[in-house]
Amino acid sequence: MSALEIKHLFGLRGVSKSDISTILDTASEFRQVLERPVKKVPSLRGLTVVNLFFENSTRTRTSFELAEKRLSADTVNFSSSASSVKKGESLLDTLQNIEAMKIDLVVVRHQGTGVPRFLAKNSKAIIVNAGDGANEHPTQALLDMLTIQQHLGSLKNKRVTIIGDIRHSRVARSNLWGLTTMGAKVTLCSPSTLTPRNTQFFEGAFWETNLRKAVTDADVVMSLRLQKERMEDSLLPSMREYRNYFGITGELLEHANPSALIMHPGPINRGVELDSEMADSKHSVILEQVTNGVAVRMAVLFLLSGGRHG
Ligand code: CP
């Protein structure tokens, strides 16, 4: 049924260049729809999408919900805090009960790595990963790639530096797989306590511990949120120390390409990961990332449910 090689979107690791290009091209078209006075198309009329969120979210959840409404789908929101999960219901029972209501697509965010694959094995619905633990957040990376492409024309040979809590970051993983598949050069830079133990898993990445060297000549400087909720121990001496060594400042940006883009998946800790002046500067495309998120999610839902591009 899917118009892509993939049947579900679990992550970007192993997804082909052709599928990523199709998603980005389709998202560019939906981006134009979002500029129209009537921002709605009938592409998913008659289909029902459940947004199954077991973790907090502002951007991703709102963005998926808007994308579904823009495509004229029927949507249902599920949040674990207001559900029978609180009464001890298992994930599988929750899924089977929701599926019994005849749904077509499930968008899932869960703290457990691999939950989207587990749901796909136990359901007939099309599954879209909205973030699984520290594993992947594919639609975030796709919206990041769309934003870079819009500004820099192409992803091939672009130098993207991703800075911060790489160890716990699903955004870093999905961006690494997606960007390298599209020909970009990705440098990862993190404090030693926030560097993953298995760096060999991150094939294709360049690692750099010196922040200044990491951003030198970068076309994109992407700062990550500190994932405090995933830190088992105290991995940083203080937020001030982190800002001093790994925060994005005006002085640091002078080493990057003069037209470098500043990106952040949100939510931002201003004055820690990113100085406020940087978040609001002419280099920042952070709010464009959010706008592109709706178009990318429209494209993913549309293509996975059989819609053809072009
Ligand atoms: N970027 C992102 O995933 O943000 P939320 O946690 O608000 O969804």
Side-chain angles (χ1 to χ4, degrees):
M1 189 180 179
S2 170
L4 300 168
E5 291 163 25
I6 53 170
K7 304 277 177 285
H8 307 273
L9 183 63
F10 299 135
L12 293 188
R13 193 169 199 212
V15 175
S16 69
K17 187 173 179 181
S18 157
D19 270 2
I20 293 177
S21 298
T22 304
I23 295 169
L24 296 180
D25 291 348
T26 309
S28 295
E29 288 178 19
F30 281 131
R31 188 71 180 73
Q32 288 167 28
V33 171
L34 298 178
E35 298 302 324
R36 292 184 198 156
V38 179
K39 303 171 182 52
K40 207 166 169 125
V41 287
S43 313
L44 291 197
R45 187 174 288 156
L47 294 187
T48 305
V49 189
V50 179
N51 300 311
L52 207 55
F53 276 67
F54 291 84
E55 270 193 344
N56 294 341
S57 170
T58 301
R59 277 144 291 271
T60 310
R61 183 174 174 154
T62 312
S63 181
F64 266 112
E65 201 178 333
L66 261 179
E68 292 148 13
K69 289 186 194 312
R70 302 292 190 225
L71 291 167
S72 308
D74 294 319
T75 68
V76 185
N77 288 320
F78 165 98
S79 97
S80 57
S81 58
S83 76
S84 294
V85 170
K86 283 273 172 217
K87 299 176 191 164
E89 187 172 65
S90 74
L91 178 61
L92 188 55
D93 281 336
T94 300
L95 174 72
Q96 286 173 342
N97 277 277
I98 288 173
E99 201 176 20
M101 299 178 208
K102 308 290 175 205
I103 48 98
D104 302 289
L105 293 104
V106 173
V107 175
V108 61
R109 169 170 285 195
H110 198 282
Q111 57 279 12
T113 291
V115 162
R117 281 182 195 275
F118 172 78
L119 297 189
K121 274 198 187 123
N122 290 287
S123 157
K124 290 191 182 66
I126 298 165
I127 308 293
V128 180
N129 183 3
D132 62 328
N135 183 38
E136 285 229 35
H137 191 350
T139 56
Q140 177 67 45
L142 287 163
L143 71 89
D144 292 339
M145 287 192 272
L146 179 64
T147 308
I148 297 170
Q149 200 171 268
Q150 281 170 347
H151 280 268
L152 307 182
S154 142
L155 297 164
K156 193 166 171 52
N157 291 327
K158 296 299 179 300
R159 297 166 65 104
V160 180
T161 300
I162 306 179
I163 298 157
D165 185 359
I166 308 284
R167 180 161 162 182
H168 301 102
S169 177
R170 53 197 178 201
V171 175
R173 283 166 179 74
S174 289
N175 264 298
L176 172 66
W177 312 133
L179 284 164
T180 51
T181 298
M182 300 307 285
K185 300 194 183 318
V186 178
T187 298
L188 303 176
C189 179
S190 52
S192 57
T193 52
L194 297 178
T195 300
R197 290 190 193 97
N198 55 344
T199 51
Q200 69 279 8
F201 176 74
F202 292 67
E203 307 116 47
F206 300 95
W207 288 90
E208 178 53 68
T209 49
N210 180 298
L211 181 61
R212 192 168 289 188
K213 282 190 193 158
V215 301
T216 297
D217 298 331
D219 299 302
V220 176
V221 175
M222 185 185 294
S223 176
L224 299 172
R225 183 175 71 82
L226 287 172
Q227 311 266 299
K228 284 179 229 150
E229 72 277 19
R230 292 189 218 292
M231 293 184 197
E232 324 78 60
D233 303 307
S234 179
L235 297 175
L236 294 169
S238 69
M239 292 299 122
R240 180 182 295 203
E241 183 129 336
Y242 179 84
R243 185 263 170 204
N244 287 345
Y245 287 99
F246 288 91
I248 310 304
T249 63
E251 191 275 326
L252 179 77
L253 206 68
E254 285 172 19
H255 299 275
N257 185 321
S259 55
L261 306 177
I262 295 178
M263 304 181 81
H264 192 294
I268 303 174
N269 292 306
R270 284 176 182 257
V272 179
E273 298 136 11
L274 199 56
D275 278 3
S276 243
E277 307 87 75
M278 292 292 97
D280 303 324
S281 75
K282 64 180 171 41
H283 293 275
S284 170
V285 293
I286 294 168
L287 291 178
E288 286 176 51
Q289 289 173 257
V290 178
T291 308
N292 283 334
V294 179
V296 154
R297 289 167 179 130
M298 287 173 80
V300 166
L301 296 166
F302 172 73
L303 292 165
L304 285 176
S305 48
R308 300 270 154 198
H309 164 63

